[in-house]
Amino acid sequence: MINSREIMETIKMIDDEHLDIRTITMGISLLDCIDSSAEKACEKIYEKITRLAKDLVKTGEDISRQYGIPIINKRISVTPISIVAGASDAENYVMFAETLDRAAKATGVNFIGGFSALVQKGFTKGDRILIESIPEALAKTERVCSSVGVASTKAGINMDAVKLMGRIIKKTAEITADNDSFGCAKLVVFSNAVEDNPFMAGAFHGVGEGDCVINVGVSGPGVVKAALSKVKGQDFGTVAETIKKTAFKITRMGQLVAQEASRRLDVPFGIVDLSLAPTPEVGDSVAYILEEMGLEKCGTHGTTAALALLNDAVKKGGVMASSYVGGLSGAFIPVSEDAGMIAAAECGTLTLDKLEAMTCVCSVGLDMIAVPGETPAETISAIIADEAAIGMINQKTTAVRIIPVVGKGVGESVEFGGLLGYAPIMPVHKESSAEFIDRGGRIPAPIHSLKN
């Protein structure tokens, strides 16, 4: 039973502490759109997306008005296009990306994810065509997001794919150089990619999912920070308990919105992703939560331990609030989207190496990191390989969304705008990884993958 005190607490969270529903994401299967004719497949894709998602944006806005809960984004995720387009006669999949973009604009959603391929163990013809199409596809579309899975705990790391993605990211940066290499902000490389992630740019609708589902992503770093400010100086058991209780309240709100959207759209409810997704707004920062625990600046010694506590407590509180928690669920650390992370990177406390250590215990990985445009493709591939190894060995999802900004170097910054914020250009190691990356092949799966 919800009482008046809880209602007032929620109102305060929304008004003063930046609590919001970050996204309602409709996942749509395109498996029944497969056709040997690329043109016919694209027609089927456009028709299905616009038919199922025609009321998605309006429903989100109606729920937001009725309950007074900010719902920031409405999005769509689809079956990985490499699977759908692989049966077609197309030699380039840009037309599929353009179809997704037209459907996104027609339905009014912010982004559509699923221009994706899963190649952790090898490539199909469709996978190769899709990956080679990514730079042009992201340059020619506004709302399409792309992801590639290159590793998993079960399969190991496809180092041929890792090498290829370094080159693809560089090409995407170059082809979108006039827009500060923005195409790379819509491209994620995964280890252990999940099928029900509602967040962009990595969302896709997995083949294990239903025909159409509603997934909701909540957010509330500001709420957690405010809660921790009331337990200053108390022990870590109290800190963990405070975060758990706060995550419970945040997730309850997400569950309400998800079930209401599901009912109104007559689409099954999938999951609530209870990730703490920050914004460039002051006060809405994961870094500020870590600093509230007693760190002078995010990135200093102790940061990884603080993040581990935060991530675990968020998950524990969330699973008590909803029976269907999924996606990534935990704490995101995207540099450009977090005011505290930006400040820590600018002053040099937060480095790429420290971020890599933090990804061992957070929800995703190296996210929205700008590096010098002259960074070699092999260095980018090596960064991806390191992150994929962390995910593979630790049986968790890790990812890399890195932007080599053409024409810019360390000491400069790049402005993306909106929720994507701005990012200082971070230094990378200058020593070459080329000979390592050129080996190719597959890094075998770890021994603990043999669990059957």
Side-chain angles (χ1 to χ4, degrees), residues 216-346:
V216 166
V218 299
S219 182
V223 179
V224 175
K225 180 185 180 299
L228 289 182
S229 69
K230 298 169 185 172
V231 294
K232 273 190 183 298
Q234 297 191 40
D235 64 64
F236 285 115
T238 303
V239 170
E241 195 65 22
T242 301
I243 295 170
K244 281 165 54 181
K245 289 177 179 177
T246 307
F248 179 90
K249 295 172 186 175
I250 294 170
T251 308
R252 271 295 199 210
M253 188 183 76
Q255 174 98 342
L256 167 68
V257 170
Q259 290 179 332
E260 190 63 20
S262 171
R263 183 185 67 80
R264 296 187 187 195
L265 291 165
D266 194 25
V267 171
F269 160 50
I271 56 93
V272 175
D273 184 314
L274 49 98
S275 296
L276 296 179
T279 73
E281 290 269 342
V282 175
D284 197 25
S285 160
V286 170
Y288 290 163
I289 297 173
L290 306 180
E291 290 168 6
E292 187 64 44
M293 290 188 202
L295 302 172
E296 183 177 349
K297 182 69 71 174
C298 178
T300 192
H301 305 298
T303 298
T304 305
L307 182 58
L309 184 156
L310 172 64
N311 208 54
D312 181 65
V314 164
K315 292 177 189 289
K316 286 174 177 172
V319 295
M320 292 299 292
S322 174
S323 296
Y324 299 102
V325 170
L328 298 165
S329 290
F332 288 177
I333 51 171
V335 174
S336 79
E337 300 173 22
D338 186 308
M341 296 285 179
I342 293 168
E346 285 179 330

Side-chain angles (χ1 to χ4, degrees), residues 39-51:
E39 288 187 2
K40 287 182 180 178
C42 286
E43 288 173 9
K44 293 178 183 178
I45 288 169
Y46 182 83
E47 187 280 329
K48 185 169 187 180
I49 292 172
T50 53
R51 171 168 49 85

Side-chain angles (χ1 to χ4, degrees), residues 113-432:
F115 195 73
S116 307
L118 301 173
V119 295
Q120 57 267 28
K121 206 168 183 180
F123 299 92
T124 64
K125 178 186 175 184
D127 294 330
R128 287 191 180 275
I129 294 174
L130 183 130
I131 291 171
E132 293 288 356
S133 301
I134 287 172
E136 186 181 355
L138 295 183
K140 288 188 172 181
T141 59
E142 294 178 23
R143 307 185 190 196
V144 172
C145 292
S146 180
S147 60
V148 178
V150 299
S152 73
T153 299
K154 284 289 187 183
I157 305 173
N158 182 348
M159 290 300 291
D160 293 324
V162 168
K163 179 179 178 179
L164 177 58
M165 287 312 300
R167 183 170 64 79
I168 292 297
I169 289 170
K170 281 285 287 186
K171 189 174 179 182
T172 303
E174 290 160 3
I175 206 171
T176 59
D178 290 346
N179 193 20
D180 281 331
S181 303
F182 180 70
C184 296
K186 300 187 292 175
L187 173 58
V188 184
V189 184
F190 274 116
S191 175
N192 289 321
V194 296
E195 297 189 336
D196 55 3
N197 170 20
F199 287 103
M200 299 296 168
F204 65 87
H205 188 70
V207 294
E209 298 287 306
D211 193 57
C212 186
V213 300
I214 289 293
N215 297 321
V216 166
V218 299
S219 182
V223 179
V224 175
K225 180 185 180 299
L228 289 182
S229 69
K230 298 169 185 172
V231 294
K232 273 190 183 298
Q234 297 191 40
D235 64 64
F236 285 115
T238 303
V239 170
E241 195 65 22
T242 301
I243 295 170
K244 281 165 54 181
K245 289 177 179 177
T246 307
F248 179 90
K249 295 172 186 175
I250 294 170
T251 308
R252 271 295 199 210
M253 188 183 76
Q255 174 98 342
L256 167 68
V257 170
Q259 290 179 332
E260 190 63 20
S262 171
R263 183 185 67 80
R264 296 187 187 195
L265 291 165
D266 194 25
V267 171
F269 160 50
I271 56 93
V272 175
D273 184 314
L274 49 98
S275 296
L276 296 179
T279 73
E281 290 269 342
V282 175
D284 197 25
S285 160
V286 170
Y288 290 163
I289 297 173
L290 306 180
E291 290 168 6
E292 187 64 44
M293 290 188 202
L295 302 172
E296 183 177 349
K297 182 69 71 174
C298 178
T300 192
H301 305 298
T303 298
T304 305
L307 182 58
L309 184 156
L310 172 64
N311 208 54
D312 181 65
V314 164
K315 292 177 189 289
K316 286 174 177 172
V319 295
M320 292 299 292
S322 174
S323 296
Y324 299 102
V325 170
L328 298 165
S329 290
F332 288 177
I333 51 171
V335 174
S336 79
E337 300 173 22
D338 186 308
M341 296 285 179
I342 293 168
E346 285 179 330
C347 75
T349 308
L350 188 63
T351 64
L352 197 56
D353 289 341
K354 185 60 179 178
L355 280 164
E356 183 184 305
M358 293 165 66
T359 62
C360 296
V361 298
C362 78
S363 278
V364 193
L366 298 172
D367 196 13
M368 286 303 289
I369 294 171
V371 297
E374 64 184 20
T375 304
E378 294 84 2
T379 297
I380 293 171
S381 292
I383 291 169
I384 293 169
D386 283 342
E387 200 59 32
I390 290 171
M392 175 184 71
I393 295 295
N394 291 291
Q395 304 177 69
K396 69 184 292 294
T397 302
T398 53
V400 173
R401 185 161 47 148
I402 192 167
I403 304 119
V405 185
V406 174
K408 293 195 173 182
V410 177
E412 298 179 273
S413 63
V414 58
E415 179 73 49
F416 296 118
L419 285 176
L420 295 177
Y422 77 97
I425 308 295
M426 301 183 73
V428 300
H429 290 290
K430 296 190 181 298
E431 294 77 14
S432 176

